[in-house]
Amino acid sequence: MELNQLTAHELLDKLASKKATPEALYDSLYGRIQKTESLVKAYVRAEVDRQTIFSSPGALKGLPITIKDNICTEGLKTECCSKILKDFRPPYDATVIAKLKKSGAGIFPLKANMDEFAFGSSTENSFFGPTANPWNLASVPGGSSGGSAAAVASDEAIWALGSDTGGSIRQPASFCGVVGLKPTYGRVSRFGLIAFASSLDQIGPITKDVEDAAILTKIISGYDPNDSTSVNLDVPDYTQSLTNDIKGLKIGIPKEYFVEGIDQEVKAVIEEAINKLKSLGAVSRPVSLPHTEYAVPVYYIVATAEASSNLARFDGVQYGYRAKSDNLIQMYKLTRAQGFGDEAKRRILLGTFVLSHGYYDAYYLRALKVRTLIKQDFDRAFSDFDCIVAPVSPTAAFKIGERTEDPLKMYLSDIYTISVNLAGIPAISVPCGFTKKGLPVGLQIMAKPFDEEMLFRVAHAFEQNTQWHKLKPKL
């Protein structure tokens, strides 16, 4: 197996034991990027400095990490895959980047493609064009962290960071056959993440296996005084949860996730995965999350309202692109008209409408009340169960262009992931099988707030007793 195909923990072991050299790893990784990037298009920038790579004395020994293009990296272009942030170079690092540098990670211009401002479920809304799914180049990789997931799946990256507002880590991880974790809201600092919806956004890892996810989550988690929503709790060593023992665990199967609309092949793969967990000693019973049907409308009211507010700052004065004009007001208008893509404009209009006078109570305030009901569904479920298991998405990866003309159909791609963000709980996607057309399917595991250890315990036990995570796309 080539070095670029190994996990981060396998590479660190080989480097420590002198069974691999930093130079050989560089050649393997960069050679892979040169060979397959023209097909996958996972990156908007992919440069590695051979002279400085692996020179860090930190525990990660300079191991490169791929970063979604909405996470600020000091001095390196961070454009959120939008024309309106063209050539923006942040003057500071996001907290997660500062933590990675402190741990010795190699931070290079390895910036992954994404939907503009994370608005999408397919990575087709990028200013730089779409990314392809490594398992089928005619299919989407999922979104909005599709570039990060595709880079890891195609072995163009060792591991990566994404962001998850409504499923944007878990859904592309599922579509690309890799591991993706959305941490508890408040566990990982959002300082330096270019905001989509501030009450929903979370940064998280996308990796080749569960152990790498546990290592990376430990590094990026923890209290940050720069983020007022950061929670001051101790961060466990998540690798201690990788015991391969789930005997007696109580698993809830939400009946609302297996109704009309789910692809029958996906349903069969998920049911087989649940049987595997039961064979390992877990006990499963049905559970009801009765307000699940309201998750999509509530999400698209709350998320668009917050997005319209967050994007008001991009007016051509302080950041990125500025349209040429004879006066200030016209410059504002032209900059936003020319700088934002269609999906960004759609969400700004929706968000401005639901926050407008006369409609705030009817839409936004009511959505917040239903959001509380959705959270209470999970609170009740976790009083009886250790975790909840469900599909990540009702379908496997769909064709590029298949849903671009139907925004509502695109929004429904996240129907099984959105509730997690509204409730603020953690969830992970782990590879659990394939469709007959060879497209990956992900198993979603959800736990109560700040119980990421439970996710790693269950996901690792499943992974160690299956082979799905070891399969590679043929590129």
Side-chain angles (χ1 to χ4, degrees), residues 79-139:
E79 299 174 311
C80 232
C81 288
S82 175
K83 180 180 178 181
I84 208 163
L85 272 176
K86 182 175 172 54
D87 294 329
F88 173 61
R89 294 177 186 269
Y92 64 94
D93 278 327
T95 296
V96 293
I97 300 299
K99 285 175 176 283
L100 283 165
K101 285 183 175 178
K102 189 176 180 181
S103 296
I107 305 296
F108 301 99
L110 288 169
K111 288 299 186 78
N113 199 14
M114 57 179 281
D115 287 301
E116 181 183 12
F117 284 101
F119 297 155
S121 305
S122 62
T123 310
E124 293 175 284
N125 297 320
S126 168
F127 175 65
F128 300 100
T131 292
N133 189 314
W135 291 92
N136 183 328
L137 297 174
S139 299

Side-chain angles (χ1 to χ4, degrees), residues 300-371:
Y300 279 98
I301 290 173
V302 173
T304 56
E306 294 184 14
S308 69
S309 176
N310 280 323
L311 268 58
R313 76 192 70 175
F314 301 115
D315 55 10
V317 176
Q318 297 184 71
Y319 304 102
Y321 175 74
R322 176 183 295 181
K324 293 180 180 178
S325 177
D326 296 330
N327 63 73
L328 183 64
I329 299 301
Q330 193 67 11
M331 187 278 288
Y332 287 153
K333 292 180 178 177
L334 288 177
T335 295
R336 290 173 68 82
Q338 297 171 7
F340 287 124
D342 290 344
E343 184 60 29
K345 290 174 184 172
R346 182 181 295 117
R347 299 197 185 204
I348 290 170
L349 288 171
L350 282 170
T352 304
F353 175 77
V354 300
L355 290 177
S356 60
H357 181 68
Y359 295 99
Y360 177 90
D361 289 351
Y363 293 102
Y364 186 68
L365 187 59
R366 184 171 295 183
L368 293 181
K369 291 177 179 177
V370 180
R371 180 179 185 176

Side-chain angles (χ1 to χ4, degrees), residues 396-459:
F398 45 89
K399 297 288 186 184
I400 292 174
E402 183 180 326
R403 300 184 183 181
T404 51
E405 301 302 319
D406 188 344
L408 184 58
K409 196 171 183 180
M410 184 72 83
Y411 296 167
L412 290 173
S413 302
D414 297 333
I415 192 169
Y416 295 154
T417 52
I418 280 171
S419 296
V420 163
N421 299 78
L422 292 170
I425 63 174
I428 193 170
S429 173
V430 60
C432 69
F434 286 80
T435 65
K436 292 176 181 175
K437 292 183 178 179
L439 291 169
V441 176
L443 178 70
Q444 182 173 207
I445 307 164
M446 300 166 255
K448 61 187 177 185
F450 301 102
D451 196 9
E452 282 83 0
E453 291 165 291
M454 178 62 65
L455 301 182
F456 290 124
R457 181 181 171 188
V458 178

Side-chain angles (χ1 to χ4, degrees), residues 160-226:
L161 286 183
S163 67
D164 192 317
T165 306
S168 293
I169 287 176
R170 289 160 287 153
Q171 189 244 31
S174 173
F175 281 9
C176 292
V178 294
V179 175
L181 172 77
K182 182 264 173 196
T184 307
Y185 186 77
R187 172 61 90 188
V188 177
S189 172
R190 294 182 297 106
F191 179 74
L193 172 67
I194 298 174
F196 164 4
S198 304
S199 74
L200 300 165
D201 297 335
Q202 271 293 270
I203 298 172
I206 296 178
T207 59
K208 295 176 184 175
D209 72 0
V210 175
E211 184 171 346
D212 275 4
I215 294 170
L216 195 47
T217 304
K218 166 70 175 174
I219 292 171
I220 64 175
S221 295
Y223 175 66
D224 178 12
N226 290 320

